[in-house]
């Protein structure tokens, strides 16, 4: 590859990327969806790469460079498309509403609810994404904290930390862990080595926040919600889809995205069965339109991934990631570099950071790959804007959970961040 870091095309590409990312950061103020500036930036960066290579008489190389990134994005896209469709279908079948109603009716104290919602968010996020988990558990906290804004604030902080931490120890819990698994840096079961460090990441700030939770018990709310017919079947098929994806990669050496697409086939057939039964029995609740659930996929997020992956990939082709790799992983060493990158994810989205690391592909032990997986997954908890879970809850619990309310407890969350790193270095020393 050409070194274009000091070339006009490289410098202009860097300026375009920074400008686009500034627009992403200020999405709430500009009301410009985050996918739009990064898609434009990605296209312009690759246009400049194409021009630079053509001028150098090496234009034929750009196809191979871009095709490799298209393959990586294609696998990620198909995987996420199926996972999000299943989550949408569980939501449509009222699965999450049933969980919320059950928790609301239990009559627990504020402190018991604080612990229970955090624990559920931690383990639920390992299966779902942190955004969905935060929104589901956030509705519980807000429903029970209608007379205690302080409980809502503390509860939301705990949920954000728990959702991010829970997503770090499974390949399905976060986009970054999925990227590491699909890249083949870690085997499926190796991720579970950071289960305890991930739990420590939530437990340390939770232990501190616990004493700020008001005493007393909210009034129990009785709400009867029944899941739509077929909800259990959808949940079982989702689990079967995960098993299929893992089996495709581990036993057949096939891309896990292929296994996920087979799982989408499971859902399509199940929706056909429910639709036929519902039509025959004239039960509208039973009818399931799986294609409608695919239409509900958050396309802004998927297109944002496209823009980020191609923009960061372009910076790698230009040579900037090689410079960053030398500075971080050669000069500072992998452990320090991984800790710094994780802390940066509180400000910069963890997806471009992880993709940059995977593109740099520094020579690291499995212990170091587990470390970057951990830090990139949980580092965003230190600021409310550092993860999708935090941003979503700020919108959902306006007034009670704010950037400043979260910032007040950043020190406690940071203690959890470094405690989780210490736990990993101690427990998983044999991986280094």
């Amino acid at each position: 590859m050409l070194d274009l870091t000091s070339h006009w095309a490289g410098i202009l590409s860097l300026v375009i990327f920074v400008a686009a990312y500034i627009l992403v950061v200020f999405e709430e103020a500009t009301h410009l969806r985050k996918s739009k500036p990064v898609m434009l930036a990605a296209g312009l960066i690759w246009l400049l790469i194409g021009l630079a290579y053509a001028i150098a008489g090496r234009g034929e190389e750009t196809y191979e460079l871009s095709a490799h990134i298209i393959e990586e994005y294609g696998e990620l896209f198909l995987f996420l498309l199926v996972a999000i469709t299943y989550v949408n279908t569980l939501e449509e079948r009222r699965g999450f509403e049933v969980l919320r109603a059950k928790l609301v009716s239990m009559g627990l104290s504020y402190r018991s609810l604080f612990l229970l919602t955090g624990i559920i968010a931690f383990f639920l996020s390992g299966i779902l994404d942190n955004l969905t988990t935060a929104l589901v558990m956030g509705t519980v906290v807000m429903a029970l904290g209608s007379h205690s804004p302080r409980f809502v604030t503390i509860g939301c902080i705990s949920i954000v930390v728990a959702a991010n931490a829970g997503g770090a120890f499974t390949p399905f819990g976060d986009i970054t862990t999925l990227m590491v698994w699909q890249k083949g840096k870690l085997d499926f079961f190796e991720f579970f080595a950071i289960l305890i460090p991930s739990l420590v990441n939530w437990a340390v700030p939770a232990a501190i926040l616990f004493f700020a939770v008001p005493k007393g018990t909210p009034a129990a709310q009785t709400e009867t919600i029944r899941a739509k017919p077929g909800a259990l079947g959808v949940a079982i098929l989702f689990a079967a889809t995960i098993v299929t994806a893992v089996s495709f990669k581990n036993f057949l050496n096939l891309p896990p995205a292929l296994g996920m697409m087979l799982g989408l086939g499971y859902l399509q057939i199940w929706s056909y069965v429910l639709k036929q039964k519902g039509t025959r029995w004239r039960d509208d609740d039973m009818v399931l339109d799986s294609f409608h659930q695919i239409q509900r996929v958050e396309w802004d997020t998927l297109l944002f991934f496209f823009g980020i992956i191609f923009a960061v990939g372009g910076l790698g082709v230009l040579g900037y990631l090689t410079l960053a790799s030398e500075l971080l992983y050669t000069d500072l060493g992998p452990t320090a570099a991984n800790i710094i990158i994780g802390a940066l994810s509180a400000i910069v989205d963890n997806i471009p950071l992880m993709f940059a690391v995977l593109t740099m592909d520094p020579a690291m032990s499995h212990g170091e790959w587990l470390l970057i997986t951990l830090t990139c997954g949980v580092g965003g908890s230190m600021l409310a804007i550092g993860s999708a879970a935090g941003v979503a809850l700020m919108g959902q619990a306006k007034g009670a959970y704010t950037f400043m309310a979260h910032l007040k407890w950043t020190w406690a969350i940071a203690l959890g961040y470094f405690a989780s790193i210490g736990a990993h270095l101690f427990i998983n020393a044999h991986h280094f």
Side-chain angles (χ1 to χ4, degrees):
M1 290 191 300
L2 295 173
D3 182 2
L4 300 173
T5 51
S6 57
H7 190 272
W8 61 265
I11 295 171
L12 184 55
S13 295
L14 192 60
V15 170
I16 290 171
F17 178 79
V18 171
Y21 208 85
I22 289 173
L23 290 174
V24 171
V25 171
F26 291 99
E27 178 187 13
E28 292 293 319
T30 61
H31 303 291
L32 178 66
R33 301 292 289 272
K34 62 181 179 290
S35 62
K36 297 179 179 180
V38 293
M39 284 183 67
L40 181 64
L44 291 175
I45 288 171
W46 278 94
L47 172 64
L48 293 170
I49 291 172
L51 288 173
Y53 270 76
I55 292 171
R58 296 171 61 176
E60 69 283 353
E61 296 179 26
T62 54
Y63 179 85
E64 184 178 345
L65 293 170
S66 59
H68 174 67
I69 300 175
I70 288 174
E71 180 183 349
E72 290 190 11
Y73 174 73
E75 287 189 25
L76 181 65
F77 172 84
L78 292 176
F79 195 104
L80 292 175
L81 180 69
V82 178
I84 296 172
T85 298
Y86 263 105
V87 171
N88 288 345
T89 307
L90 284 171
E91 181 184 23
E92 188 274 339
R93 295 285 98 179
R94 301 194 193 118
F96 300 135
E97 288 187 50
V98 171
L99 173 62
R100 177 183 61 80
K102 178 64 177 177
L103 292 173
V104 166
S105 63
M106 291 178 70
L108 299 174
S109 68
Y110 283 123
R111 290 188 168 183
S112 296
L113 284 165
F114 169 81
L115 294 175
L116 184 59
T117 54
I119 292 170
I120 292 176
F122 179 85
F123 287 104
L124 195 61
S125 183
I127 305 170
L128 307 177
D129 61 283
N130 59 357
L131 173 60
T132 302
T133 299
L135 290 175
V136 171
M137 302 312 298
T139 59
V140 176
V141 167
M142 285 181 286
L144 292 169
S146 56
H147 299 293
S148 178
R150 183 173 180 80
F151 170 70
V152 175
T153 301
I154 302 299
C156 284
I157 294 171
S158 170
I159 287 170
V160 169
V161 177
N164 289 334
F169 72 91
T170 74
F172 295 88
D174 192 84
I175 306 300
T176 55
T177 58
L178 175 60
M179 291 163 69
V180 172
W181 181 49
Q182 287 195 323
K183 195 74 170 179
K185 295 302 179 183
L186 297 169
D187 292 332
F188 181 83
F189 294 104
E190 283 187 284
F191 286 89
F192 294 97
I194 53 175
L195 169 59
I196 293 177
S198 297
L199 188 58
V200 167
N201 180 262
W202 169 73
V204 169
I208 297 169
L209 288 164
F210 180 81
F211 297 100
V213 177
K215 296 179 180 179
T217 303
Q221 301 176 23
T222 55
E223 186 179 4
T224 303
I225 295 178
R226 295 175 64 89
K228 288 184 178 182
L232 180 59
V234 173
I236 292 172
L237 291 178
F238 191 14
T241 298
I242 292 173
V243 172
T244 302
V246 174
S247 299
F248 266 47
K249 183 170 177 62
N250 287 1
F251 305 123
L252 303 176
N253 293 315
L254 291 170
L258 276 178
M260 292 297 286
M261 291 302 289
L262 175 56
L264 184 59
Y266 304 158
L267 181 62
Q268 297 283 38
I269 299 301
W270 183 237
S271 70
Y272 172 78
V273 172
L274 292 176
K275 186 174 183 179
Q276 294 300 310
K277 284 186 176 181
T279 303
R280 191 181 313 122
W281 297 347
R282 296 183 179 179
D283 183 350
D284 290 339
D285 271 356
M286 182 174 287
V287 174
L288 172 61
D289 184 351
S290 60
F291 284 107
H292 179 64
Q293 305 313 315
I294 295 174
Q295 290 173 2
R296 292 177 54 220
V297 167
E298 180 56 57
W299 288 101
D300 179 49
T301 299
L302 292 178
L303 293 176
F304 171 72
F305 293 157
F306 169 85
I308 281 295
I309 286 174
F310 269 83
V312 173
L315 295 182
V317 170
L318 291 165
Y320 288 110
L321 295 187
T322 300
L323 288 178
S325 181
E326 290 175 358
L327 173 64
L328 290 169
Y329 287 95
T330 302
D331 296 347
L332 297 179
T335 301
N338 291 333
I339 294 172
I340 291 170
I341 290 172
L344 279 176
S345 69
I347 304 170
V348 180
D349 193 277
N350 62 355
I351 294 168
L353 289 174
M354 180 58 83
F355 187 74
V357 173
L358 290 169
T359 304
M360 294 178 207
D361 197 18
M364 295 197 295
S365 64
H366 281 207
E368 293 293 355
W369 280 110
L370 285 168
L371 178 60
I372 188 60
T373 301
L374 173 69
T375 58
C376 236
V378 304
S381 298
M382 287 188 277
L383 292 178
I385 61 170
S387 68
V391 173
L393 276 190
M394 279 196 294
Q396 191 179 47
K398 289 181 178 177
Y401 175 61
T402 63
F403 176 84
M404 294 306 297
H406 191 106
L407 186 63
K408 180 181 176 182
W409 295 99
T410 291
W411 64 273
I413 301 168
L415 284 178
Y417 178 74
F418 288 106
S420 66
I421 293 170
H424 169 60
L425 294 176
F426 176 75
I427 295 171
N428 297 315
H430 60 284
H431 285 288
F432 287 84

